[in-house]
Amino acid sequence: MKLWGGRFTKEENQLVHNFNESLSFDRRFYRQDIEGSIAHVTMLEKQGIVSEADRDAIIGGLRGILEDLESHKLEFTAEHEDIHSFVEANLTERIGEAGKRLHTGRSRNDQVALDMKLYCRDEIGELDGLVRALLEELLKLMEENLDTYMPGFTHLQKAQPVTLAHHLGAYFEMFYRDLGRLSDIKKRMNTCPLGAGALAGTTYPLDREYSAGLLGFDGPTFNSMDSVSDRDYVIELLSALSTVAMHLSRFSEEVIIWNSNEYRFVELDDAYSTGSSIMPQKKNPDIAELVRGKTGRVYGALVAILTTMKGLPLAYNKDMQEDKELTFDAIDTVKGCLALFTGMMSTMVFRKDVMEASAKKGFTNATDAADYLVNHGVAFRDAHGIVGQLVLYCLEKEIALDDMTLEEFRAVSPVFEEDIYEAISMKACVERRITQGAPGQEAMKQAIAACRRRLEQ
Ligand code: ARG
């Protein structure tokens, strides 16, 4: 069934239909399409463009379609070009003449722009919830691991000791910024394209403010040509999703490293690991790997839509139909990754003893040994050189700085006293770092309280 048969004399070729149709994927926003139509016809009646009786028949018919779709009494059938055609044809089948009045003062161009916005807005709400759930899980783990010492790395080389709470706190910040990006997009996109028509508005006395209000928008869009050809919000959303995916991917990479036989910092729950079909000993971090791997397709969606949009003259062009499948896929992918990652985190066991032992090896307290000398009057550059010599000595003897006798310390610099051991203990190295943002418990407790406040805002 075509909405535009009047002008055409030949039947559409089946291949052309298949190539052109979008019902197979835009059926996904049937709810938003119906919601938009109900608002549109409510406004049409208020403006005296359709009668009360027609409005009631249309709304009744649309609600019936919605119900029947939800209960699977009504199925999508392939002869319809898109969700808009499907709903309108079905409506007219149900209620007759009145159904043909729904599309007064509207084009599929403003209709699809509206549906896509409503859909993205709803999904941003869901994504927001999933990011929040992950942030809550991180905060819980941070509270439980204020004194779980572990090595902090630069260049994937042990650098200075931190705590697991501090390390996880870094991810809290990343995902918290993601939350901010999602809400920014929602604010900027929240204008209603309905009433823009095909591109140049309509001659009917529409009340665009009114229909925008009915649909929870801040107001109508400003320029009718922009209204039907703007997909910036899709690009912004895919960009924000790419960043979420990138953060999840980095985190996954760390989980994979931590779970490796060499590190053994964590043990993944059986439910989030898989075995090998040939090697009986294996327990693989497949979920973390998949989350890392799926980042590629989210980036792909962003690049695809940017490329599709770059050559489009104003106003609507069918190219824009290409925004749907990739946006849907990216949203589904990131939602899945967020849910699974949170589940993986909440069931993962952190091996605190292994983490702490690892922090003790690898000279993560070398900076603190140098600071000790500085506090006793040695210039930092000289202190750096002295501790460098100590490290070399320890490497030869295969011991840690803490394992050296006081005589060995003093052989390199007489400044060292008995209190050097306390000064370079793991606990001291971490707990003395209490400037804002540092891993010391006092600083971390305040940081966690601040995280909670920011999350509740
Ligand atoms: N399926 C179309 C899309 O996704 C709907 C708009 C069609 N408009 C048109 N003039 N052909 O963009």
Side-chain angles (χ1 to χ4, degrees), residues 22 26 82 84 108-109 112 316 318 321 324:
S22 55
D26 64 17
D82 52 30
H84 327 296
R108 275 184 298 162
N109 296 351
V112 75
Y316 178 81
K318 193 65 175 259
Q321 180 166 292
K324 306 208 173 44

mmCIF file of all heavy atoms in Angstrom, residues 22 26 82 84 108-109 112 316 318 321 324, ligand 1:
data_model
loop_
_atom_site.group_PDB
_atom_site.id
_atom_site.type_symbol
_atom_site.label_atom_id
_atom_site.label_comp_id
_atom_site.label_asym_id
_atom_site.label_seq_id
_atom_site.Cartn_x
_atom_site.Cartn_y
_atom_site.Cartn_z
ATOM 1 N N SER A 22 11.486 0.912 4.694
ATOM 2 C CA SER A 22 12.169 1.013 5.992
ATOM 3 C C SER A 22 11.347 0.369 7.102
ATOM 4 O O SER A 22 11.787 0.342 8.251
ATOM 5 C CB SER A 22 12.463 2.480 6.323
ATOM 6 O OG SER A 22 11.277 3.253 6.270
ATOM 7 N N ASP A 26 12.115 0.585 10.870
ATOM 8 C CA ASP A 26 11.520 1.709 11.621
ATOM 9 C C ASP A 26 10.244 1.313 12.361
ATOM 10 O O ASP A 26 9.701 2.101 13.129
ATOM 11 C CB ASP A 26 11.345 2.978 10.766
ATOM 12 C CG ASP A 26 10.374 2.837 9.603
ATOM 13 O OD1 ASP A 26 9.578 1.892 9.597
ATOM 14 O OD2 ASP A 26 10.422 3.706 8.701
ATOM 15 N N ASP A 82 6.837 2.094 5.100
ATOM 16 C CA ASP A 82 7.473 2.458 6.365
ATOM 17 C C ASP A 82 6.432 2.463 7.476
ATOM 18 O O ASP A 82 5.248 2.227 7.232
ATOM 19 C CB ASP A 82 8.193 3.811 6.264
ATOM 20 C CG ASP A 82 7.297 4.922 5.713
ATOM 21 O OD1 ASP A 82 6.064 4.864 5.934
ATOM 22 O OD2 ASP A 82 7.823 5.837 5.050
ATOM 23 N N HIS A 84 5.156 4.870 9.061
ATOM 24 C CA HIS A 84 4.130 5.918 8.916
ATOM 25 C C HIS A 84 3.014 5.440 7.993
ATOM 26 O O HIS A 84 1.834 5.615 8.298
ATOM 27 C CB HIS A 84 4.754 7.207 8.380
ATOM 28 C CG HIS A 84 6.163 7.428 8.846
ATOM 29 N ND1 HIS A 84 6.467 7.618 10.173
ATOM 30 C CD2 HIS A 84 7.349 7.443 8.181
ATOM 31 C CE1 HIS A 84 7.789 7.750 10.288
ATOM 32 N NE2 HIS A 84 8.345 7.651 9.093
ATOM 33 N N ARG A 108 5.658 13.161 5.872
ATOM 34 C CA ARG A 108 6.463 12.136 6.530
ATOM 35 C C ARG A 108 7.830 12.697 6.926
ATOM 36 O O ARG A 108 8.514 12.139 7.770
ATOM 37 C CB ARG A 108 6.632 10.921 5.607
ATOM 38 C CG ARG A 108 5.481 9.959 5.689
ATOM 39 C CD ARG A 108 5.751 8.743 4.851
ATOM 40 N NE ARG A 108 5.906 9.095 3.446
ATOM 41 C CZ ARG A 108 6.475 8.315 2.535
ATOM 42 N NH1 ARG A 108 6.977 7.149 2.874
ATOM 43 N NH2 ARG A 108 6.560 8.704 1.278
ATOM 44 N N ASN A 109 8.193 13.815 6.303
ATOM 45 C CA ASN A 109 9.495 14.390 6.634
ATOM 46 C C ASN A 109 9.540 14.954 8.058
ATOM 47 O O ASN A 109 10.485 14.700 8.807
ATOM 48 C CB ASN A 109 9.884 15.468 5.622
ATOM 49 C CG ASN A 109 10.057 14.901 4.231
ATOM 50 O OD1 ASN A 109 10.042 13.677 4.052
ATOM 51 N ND2 ASN A 109 10.205 15.771 3.242
ATOM 52 N N VAL A 112 8.927 11.774 10.466
ATOM 53 C CA VAL A 112 10.055 10.894 10.783
ATOM 54 C C VAL A 112 11.078 11.631 11.648
ATOM 55 O O VAL A 112 11.703 11.033 12.540
ATOM 56 C CB VAL A 112 10.713 10.296 9.511
ATOM 57 C CG1 VAL A 112 11.554 11.306 8.758
ATOM 58 C CG2 VAL A 112 11.560 9.084 9.866
ATOM 59 N N TYR A 316 15.043 17.676 3.136
ATOM 60 C CA TYR A 316 15.039 16.229 3.321
ATOM 61 C C TYR A 316 15.573 15.499 2.096
ATOM 62 O O TYR A 316 15.286 15.849 0.960
ATOM 63 C CB TYR A 316 13.620 15.721 3.619
ATOM 64 C CG TYR A 316 13.574 14.210 3.760
ATOM 65 C CD1 TYR A 316 13.933 13.595 4.944
ATOM 66 C CD2 TYR A 316 13.236 13.400 2.670
ATOM 67 C CE1 TYR A 316 13.938 12.214 5.063
ATOM 68 C CE2 TYR A 316 13.236 12.016 2.783
ATOM 69 C CZ TYR A 316 13.594 11.430 3.985
ATOM 70 O OH TYR A 316 13.607 10.068 4.098
ATOM 71 N N LYS A 318 16.395 11.205 0.967
ATOM 72 C CA LYS A 318 16.158 9.839 1.438
ATOM 73 C C LYS A 318 17.392 9.230 2.085
ATOM 74 O O LYS A 318 17.296 8.275 2.866
ATOM 75 C CB LYS A 318 15.668 8.966 0.267
ATOM 76 C CG LYS A 318 15.098 7.613 0.660
ATOM 77 C CD LYS A 318 13.819 7.731 1.491
ATOM 78 C CE LYS A 318 13.194 6.374 1.765
ATOM 79 N NZ LYS A 318 12.057 6.105 0.886
ATOM 80 N N GLN A 321 17.335 8.220 5.701
ATOM 81 C CA GLN A 321 16.752 6.977 6.205
ATOM 82 C C GLN A 321 17.847 6.051 6.756
ATOM 83 O O GLN A 321 17.587 5.198 7.585
ATOM 84 C CB GLN A 321 15.990 6.287 5.065
ATOM 85 C CG GLN A 321 15.338 4.980 5.444
ATOM 86 C CD GLN A 321 14.336 4.531 4.392
ATOM 87 O OE1 GLN A 321 13.308 5.153 4.205
ATOM 88 N NE2 GLN A 321 14.659 3.470 3.678
ATOM 89 N N LYS A 324 18.826 5.179 10.707
ATOM 90 C CA LYS A 324 18.093 4.376 11.698
ATOM 91 C C LYS A 324 18.811 3.112 12.135
ATOM 92 O O LYS A 324 19.103 2.941 13.319
ATOM 93 C CB LYS A 324 16.710 4.033 11.164
ATOM 94 C CG LYS A 324 16.004 5.289 10.764
ATOM 95 C CD LYS A 324 14.570 5.342 10.818
ATOM 96 C CE LYS A 324 14.172 6.771 10.534
ATOM 97 N NZ LYS A 324 14.927 7.409 9.397
HETATM 98 N N1 ARG B 1 11.415 6.217 5.861
HETATM 99 C C1 ARG B 1 11.715 7.594 5.674
HETATM 100 C C2 ARG B 1 12.949 7.946 6.459
HETATM 101 O O1 ARG B 1 13.317 7.198 7.297
HETATM 102 C C3 ARG B 1 10.567 8.435 6.097
HETATM 103 C C4 ARG B 1 10.461 9.752 5.393
HETATM 104 C C5 ARG B 1 10.063 9.549 3.993
HETATM 105 N N2 ARG B 1 9.862 10.782 3.325
HETATM 106 C C6 ARG B 1 9.870 10.882 2.000
HETATM 107 N N3 ARG B 1 9.704 12.029 1.481
HETATM 108 N N4 ARG B 1 10.104 9.831 1.256
HETATM 109 O O2 ARG B 1 13.573 8.954 6.282
#
